[in-house]
């Protein structure tokens, strides 16, 4: 009997905080959920808002990883033979299903991740648009034709790679699965996706949506696990490419393992991005931009502008306004419409972020607000991983809170005097994922954008990240790009075909 999709099961209907318990298997290949072969190595997965157990996760071993990859390869042989238009029709249907189930998917994402329902809906909306975008690109994939002497000619074919592996992060579980799979599938590849072991649920929902839309069984598969499972994926000889989102240390290991098989890799790693606010800015927008640059998804965003450089003349006004608004951010039950900040992903992550705040205080920073554990009034949230959003003043460039990625709701504010000075300081980082500038001076805005050593620069806004534009980093923030048309180049390979129309001119 055919399995009912997760999202149609009673426990996934009208999910609210503290209600969801997942008993179904969360591996998916050959078009169905697959129970783990072993059950003894299971670990708890927690609901961030309550701290209670959401499900148990058993990592995939070598045999299971092999089954998933072979399933993907079988689907690839069928999928890659379809025309771009045929692939696009299936992808557009998947986007439609996501739109129709937007709220249900968002509520499961909140239960597993802890972000506010408002943000989760935005993530799901972007996911459906992302699939639509790449469905539009699928029929346009083309090569180049070159005329050669004597009527001969050459052309290129843009061909899929084969089985691609996606390794996701826990801050945008569903959206990252889409951002990796949509361009891969549009180009004719199949994918095996490994979500973070802390957020295993919604990638399976995506797999079931692709199947429902008409994708061949095995086209998008989900294997669960942590480092050991990731190692098996990176070493598998049938894998052609690995796309990884996560930390720099893990990214280095993924690169090293993938290099053994000379596999292509895309790395979207960490950041410690600068946001520069000049005295001629529109202060209201600069304050809003700084909040957006630091507190989305409880500050757990790799491209956040956590080093906020403010020109000295407007520092008092900026701090007064940003602190006032930070104190007003509603923290609490992430499933409620009024909430703007939910729970951090885990207890260790919460402790780590609070530790950064304590270290900043020891090094001389001044906490203007927040930076403490937060206890919502609702008793069911007492075990949740909440903290009050924090603004740090009196920061210096050599402080740990300014140099290292905190990955929590902590804004470090630093004064500057001149453009030349702040650009030097802003670029003095091993990271280079994003950057931002607020100014009314158009010439200065473009000068700063050119000077920033980062993959993105936002002018008079922050964290907008349109899916039509490439996203990726400089320096230790990674290489390769996600989103935008350029991603096609990272999920295809070029073949040159040379056609001789005359006789062979031989030297022998």
């Amino acid at each position: 009997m055919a399995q009912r999709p997760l999202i149609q099961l009673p426990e996934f209907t009208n999910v609210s905080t503290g209600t969801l318990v997942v008993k179904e298997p969360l591996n998916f290949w050959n078009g169905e959920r697959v129970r783990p072969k072993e059950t003894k190595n299971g670990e708890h997965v927690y609901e961030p808002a309550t701290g209670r157990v959401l499900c148990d996760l058993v990592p995939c071993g070598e045999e299971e990883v092999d089954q998933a990859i072979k399933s993907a390869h079988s689907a690839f042989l069928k999928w890659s033979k379809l025309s771009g238009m045929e692939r696009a029709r299936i992808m557009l249907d998947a986007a439609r299903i996501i739109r129709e189930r937007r709220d249900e998917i968002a509520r499961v994402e909140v239960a597993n991740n802890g972000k506010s329902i408002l943000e989760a809906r935005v993530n799901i909306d972007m996911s459906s648009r992302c699939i639509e975008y790449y469905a539009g690109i699928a029929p346009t994939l083309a090569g180049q034709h070159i005329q050669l002497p004597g009527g001969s000619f050459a052309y290129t074919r843009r061909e899929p790679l084969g089985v691609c592996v996606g390794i996701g992060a826990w801050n945008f579980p569903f959206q990252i699965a889409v951002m990796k799979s949509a361009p891969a599938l549009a180009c004719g590849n199949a994918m095996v996706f490994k979500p973070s072991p802390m957020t295993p649920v919604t990638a399976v929902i995506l797999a079931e949506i692709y199947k429902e839309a008409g994708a061949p069984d095995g086209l998008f598969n989900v294997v669960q696990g942590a480092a050991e499972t990731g190692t098996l994926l990176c070493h598998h000889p049938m894998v052609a490419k690995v796309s990884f989102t996560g930390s720099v240390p893990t990214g280095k290991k993924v690169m090293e393992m993938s290099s053994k098989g000379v596999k292509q890799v895309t790395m979207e790693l960490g950041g410690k991005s600068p946001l520069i606010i000049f005295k001629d800015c529109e202060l209201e927008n600069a304050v809003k931009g700084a909040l957006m640059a630091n507190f989305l998804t409880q500050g757990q965003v790799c491209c956040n502008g956590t080093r906020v450089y403010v020109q000295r003349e407007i520092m008092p006004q900026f701090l007064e306004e940003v602190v006032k608004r930070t104190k007003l951010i509603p923290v609490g039950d992430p499933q409620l419409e009024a909430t703007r900040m939910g729970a951090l992903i885990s207890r260790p992550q919460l402790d780590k972020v609070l530790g950064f705040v304590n270290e900043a205080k020891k090094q001389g920073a001044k906490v203007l607000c927040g930076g403490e554990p937060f206890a919502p009034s609702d008793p069911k949230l007492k075990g949740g991983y909440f903290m009050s959003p924090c603004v740090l003043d009196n920061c210096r460039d050599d402080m740990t809170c300014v140099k290292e990625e905190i990955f929590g709701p902590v804004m470090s504010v630093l004064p500057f005097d001149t453009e030349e000075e702040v650009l030097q300081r802003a670029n003095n980082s091993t990271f280079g994922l994003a950057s931002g500038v607020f100014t009314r001076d158009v010439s200065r805005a473009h000068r700063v954008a050119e000077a920033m050593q980062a993959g993105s620069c936002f002018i008079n806004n922050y964290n907008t990240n349109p899916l039509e534009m490439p996203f990726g980093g400089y320096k230790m923030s990674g290489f390769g790009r996600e989103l935008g048309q350029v991603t096609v180049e990272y999920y295809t390979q070029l073949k040159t075909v040379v056609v001789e129309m005359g006789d062979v001119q031989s030297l022998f």
Side-chain angles (χ1 to χ4, degrees):
M1 190 172 70
Q3 294 176 337
R4 289 178 67 187
L6 286 181
I7 206 71
Q8 295 178 12
L9 297 176
E11 58 266 38
F12 286 84
T13 303
N14 298 320
V15 170
S16 60
T17 298
T19 65
L20 181 62
V21 177
V22 182
K23 298 293 187 183
E24 292 292 318
L26 294 175
N27 299 312
F28 190 95
W29 55 81
N30 284 326
E32 62 181 4
R33 298 190 298 276
V34 182
R35 294 201 174 275
K37 186 180 177 185
E38 303 285 343
T39 57
K40 59 185 179 183
N41 295 322
E43 293 191 7
H44 292 329
V45 176
Y46 299 96
E47 181 181 36
T50 63
R52 69 182 187 88
V53 175
L54 182 71
C55 62
D56 286 324
L57 187 74
V58 179
C60 286
E62 185 173 3
E63 183 179 335
E64 292 157 305
V65 167
D66 188 61
Q67 288 174 2
I69 291 173
K70 287 178 177 175
S71 170
H73 185 259
S74 177
F76 163 71
L77 296 177
K78 303 170 189 173
W79 183 251
S80 60
K81 299 302 181 186
L82 299 181
S83 69
M85 192 68 78
E86 289 171 315
R87 294 197 294 266
R89 278 197 289 268
I90 291 172
M91 293 178 68
L92 287 171
D93 206 31
R96 174 192 59 79
I97 295 168
I98 291 171
R99 282 198 308 275
E100 290 174 354
R101 297 176 189 164
R102 167 200 191 224
D103 198 63
E104 296 97 318
I105 299 170
R107 290 196 173 278
V108 177
E109 189 84 324
V110 170
N112 200 180
N113 168 271
K115 67 174 65 186
S116 74
I117 185 65
L118 190 73
E119 281 193 52
R121 289 196 192 107
V122 172
N123 297 163
I124 306 308
D125 288 342
M126 185 170 178
S127 298
S128 62
R129 292 198 306 271
C130 183
I131 294 176
E132 287 178 328
Y133 176 77
Y134 284 106
I137 286 178
T140 71
L141 299 178
Q144 183 182 26
H145 180 280
I146 300 293
Q147 195 66 41
L148 300 175
S152 298
F153 61 93
Y155 63 91
T156 58
R157 290 171 49 88
R158 190 167 285 284
E159 299 181 345
L161 300 172
V163 176
C164 299
V165 162
I167 301 178
W170 44 257
N171 51 350
F172 294 88
F174 191 85
Q175 185 174 317
I176 289 176
V178 167
M179 285 169 56
K180 294 188 185 302
S181 63
L185 270 52
C187 293
N189 302 286
M191 177 164 276
V192 177
F193 185 79
K194 189 193 81 65
S196 164
M198 288 191 280
T199 52
V201 183
T202 50
V204 184
I205 294 174
L206 176 63
E208 293 177 330
I209 287 172
Y210 279 133
K211 174 182 171 65
E212 185 179 344
D217 289 350
L219 188 66
F220 181 80
N221 308 276
V222 179
V223 296
Q224 303 289 352
E228 185 177 334
T229 305
T231 298
L232 292 169
L233 290 167
C234 292
H235 282 307
H236 199 286
M238 292 177 72
V239 169
K241 176 196 171 71
V242 179
S243 177
F244 172 79
T245 298
S247 70
V248 173
T250 306
K252 289 179 178 179
K253 293 176 184 175
V254 169
M255 283 179 61
E256 182 181 1
M257 291 185 292
S258 300
S259 72
K260 306 293 187 198
V262 198
K263 305 181 195 301
Q264 296 191 33
V265 292
T266 294
M267 296 278 117
E268 199 277 277
L269 308 177
K272 190 68 183 178
S273 301
L275 172 58
I276 303 172
I277 299 174
F278 286 93
K279 63 184 178 182
D280 69 341
C281 71
E282 167 50 58
L283 188 62
E284 169 79 6
N285 281 332
V287 169
K288 289 192 291 186
L291 296 173
M292 290 292 288
N294 281 271
F295 299 138
L296 287 176
T297 309
Q298 299 75 253
Q300 301 166 133
V301 181
C302 52
C303 56
N304 270 358
T306 53
R307 292 184 290 146
V308 182
Y309 293 95
V310 181
Q311 204 153 21
R312 200 175 300 274
E313 291 90 332
I314 61 166
M315 183 71 126
Q317 304 98 292
F318 174 84
L319 286 175
E320 179 183 1
E321 193 61 27
V322 86
V323 168
K324 181 174 73 174
R325 297 197 182 198
T326 300
K327 288 179 177 178
L328 294 175
I329 294 173
V331 181
D333 187 340
Q335 297 281 9
L336 298 182
E337 298 292 337
T339 298
R340 291 296 177 270
M341 185 175 291
L344 277 71
I345 188 66
S346 67
R347 177 68 62 186
Q349 182 67 16
L350 173 61
D351 293 341
K352 177 184 172 185
V353 175
L354 294 172
F356 270 108
V357 175
N358 289 331
E359 180 69 16
K361 288 191 285 188
K362 291 177 185 176
Q363 294 179 353
K366 181 180 180 182
V367 176
L368 299 184
C369 65
E372 298 176 340
F374 180 80
S377 57
D378 188 336
K380 73 171 178 282
L381 305 177
K382 66 179 182 180
Y385 317 132
F386 297 92
M387 71 172 283
S388 50
C390 177
V391 178
L392 297 175
D393 186 19
N394 202 34
C395 296
R396 302 183 313 273
D397 291 325
D398 62 347
M399 286 181 171
T400 305
C401 65
V402 177
K403 293 192 299 181
E404 296 185 18
E405 186 174 34
I406 297 175
F407 229 57
V410 180
M411 178 193 303
S412 299
V413 186
L414 305 95
F416 75 92
D417 294 299
T418 69
E419 179 181 328
E420 181 182 13
E421 165 220 335
V422 76
L423 287 174
Q424 189 277 326
R425 293 167 63 194
N427 284 328
N428 186 24
S429 171
T430 58
F431 295 110
L433 190 53
S435 58
V437 56
F438 277 83
T439 178
R440 285 191 178 98
D441 186 329
V442 175
S443 296
R444 172 189 282 146
H446 291 286
R447 274 199 314 272
V448 170
E450 180 182 0
M452 295 308 304
Q453 297 168 8
S456 299
C457 183
F458 303 98
I459 296 176
N460 293 330
N461 208 332
Y462 205 93
N463 268 341
T464 48
N465 288 324
L467 61 86
E468 300 88 348
M469 298 301 290
F471 177 78
Y474 285 14
K475 299 189 278 192
M476 290 184 73
S477 290
F479 54 85
R481 291 294 181 268
E482 296 188 305
L483 302 177
Q485 292 185 41
V486 72
T487 310
V488 166
E489 298 178 16
Y490 297 100
Y491 282 103
T492 57
Q493 53 196 344
L494 279 179
K495 176 182 288 179
T496 297
V497 181
V498 183
V499 181
E500 177 59 61
M501 297 299 289
D503 294 328
V504 175
Q505 301 297 314
S506 176
L507 295 177
F508 307 102

